[in-house]
Amino acid sequence: SQTIHQWPATLVQPVGSPLSLECTVEGTSNPNLYWYRQAAGRGLQLLFYSVGIGQISSEVPQNLSASRPQDRQFILSSKKLLLSDSGFYLCAWSPGTGTGELFFGEGSRLTVL
Amino acid sequence: AQRVTQPEKLLSVFKGAPVELKCNYSYSGSPELFWYVQYSRQRLQLLLRHISRESIKGFTADLNKGETSFHLKKPFAQEEDSAMYYCALSAYSGAGSYQLTFGKGTKLSVIP
């Protein structure tokens, strides 16, 4: 069966420090991969999605970037964190031929101080 | 561009009362709609999709294209239904991939 893991689960970072959140999927190949940010009262905001290695689409211009160095690995990064980057980040995958059902990771809570 | 609207941030109902979580959408194509649920300290997960037309945990949702709505309903609320509910619309984004656009979510609280 397929599983998705993301880490770390919680992270506290100072303003201006770098960020790396990692997500891996097991049990499937060539998945579509997504990074969302979940904020109270603002729902789920799609940040990045990827349909293949090295292919990244950005939905919202911001201080963050994403990379997909391997088929089942998706990384969310920042060179210098801002206070506004604090939030709950969710990684998700869907089958490459799927029509919309997403499978979510457990999330990473980032606090920028 | 597609849009999903959930007008209620919070909905409180008594146990045994009917529940209706509202969802309206805006999309120029043929929509595929979903309800996702997040229970306390659990992952966000799919509850149901309009294509399957099935009832999950007593919940149903009917796509009304005329009213562009996909409301989630349950005749008798249970305490374990308390959770965050998100309505989502799937849209083709090219290169064989689909994107989900989520509403802002409704927190359902069932009062014992």
Side-chain angles (χ1 to χ4, degrees):
Chain A
S1 64
Q2 303 90 359
T3 58
I4 178 170
H5 304 281
Q6 63 175 106
W7 68 93
T10 58
L11 194 59
V12 180
Q13 292 284 100
V15 169
S17 65
L19 170 73
S20 180
L21 299 179
E22 194 162 336
C23 173
T24 59
V25 180
E26 297 176 359
T28 187
S29 59
N30 197 31
N32 295 329
L33 296 171
Y34 306 81
W35 279 110
Y36 282 87
R37 180 161 52 201
Q38 186 180 28
R42 295 171 62 183
L44 284 158
Q45 181 185 38
L46 178 62
L47 303 176
F48 302 95
Y49 71 94
S50 171
V51 299
I53 296 174
Q55 300 178 61
I56 308 295
S57 296
S58 174
E59 291 298 300
V60 182
Q62 59 213 320
N63 186 42
L64 302 169
S65 62
S67 62
R68 185 170 176 173
Q70 299 180 41
D71 181 45
R72 291 168 291 173
Q73 184 184 27
F74 205 26
I75 298 171
L76 183 68
S77 304
S78 174
K79 291 183 179 179
K80 288 185 178 181
L81 284 168
L82 305 172
L83 286 174
S84 57
D85 292 325
S86 293
F88 192 62
Y89 292 85
L90 287 168
C91 182
W93 76 273
S94 69
T97 55
T99 58
E101 179 178 358
L102 295 184
F103 300 89
F104 285 88
E106 292 179 329
S108 299
R109 181 157 306 279
L110 170 65
T111 303
V112 183
L113 302 175
Chain B
Q2 61 272 17
R3 189 170 62 216
V4 177
T5 303
Q6 294 179 249
E8 303 139 329
K9 285 186 179 180
L10 174 65
L11 182 65
S12 296
V13 301
F14 285 101
K15 178 182 174 181
V19 176
E20 182 178 50
L21 300 169
K22 291 184 168 50
C23 172
N24 289 91
Y25 67 90
S26 173
Y27 182 52
S28 57
S30 182
E32 183 169 355
L33 287 148
F34 302 79
W35 276 99
Y36 280 77
V37 61
Q38 189 170 30
Y39 301 103
S40 178
R41 300 180 182 178
Q42 293 189 29
R43 303 182 185 212
L44 188 61
Q45 59 187 291
L46 177 68
L47 179 62
L48 55 81
R49 53 180 17 172
H50 91 268
I51 277 185
S52 60
R53 301 181 65 84
E54 56 188 349
S55 173
I56 305 293
K57 297 184 178 182
F59 284 97
T60 58
D62 291 320
L63 176 61
N64 186 322
K65 291 187 178 180
E67 297 182 357
T68 60
S69 68
F70 187 56
H71 303 327
L72 183 67
K73 300 177 183 179
K74 184 171 182 176
F76 308 103
Q78 303 298 316
E79 288 181 64
E80 55 265 29
D81 297 328
S82 295
M84 193 74 178
Y85 291 82
Y86 291 95
C87 183
L89 181 149
S90 175
Y92 185 66
S93 58
S97 71
Y98 290 78
Q99 285 187 42
L100 276 184
T101 298
F102 286 85
K104 293 185 177 181
T106 298
K107 185 175 181 180
L108 174 65
S109 178
V110 180
I111 305 165

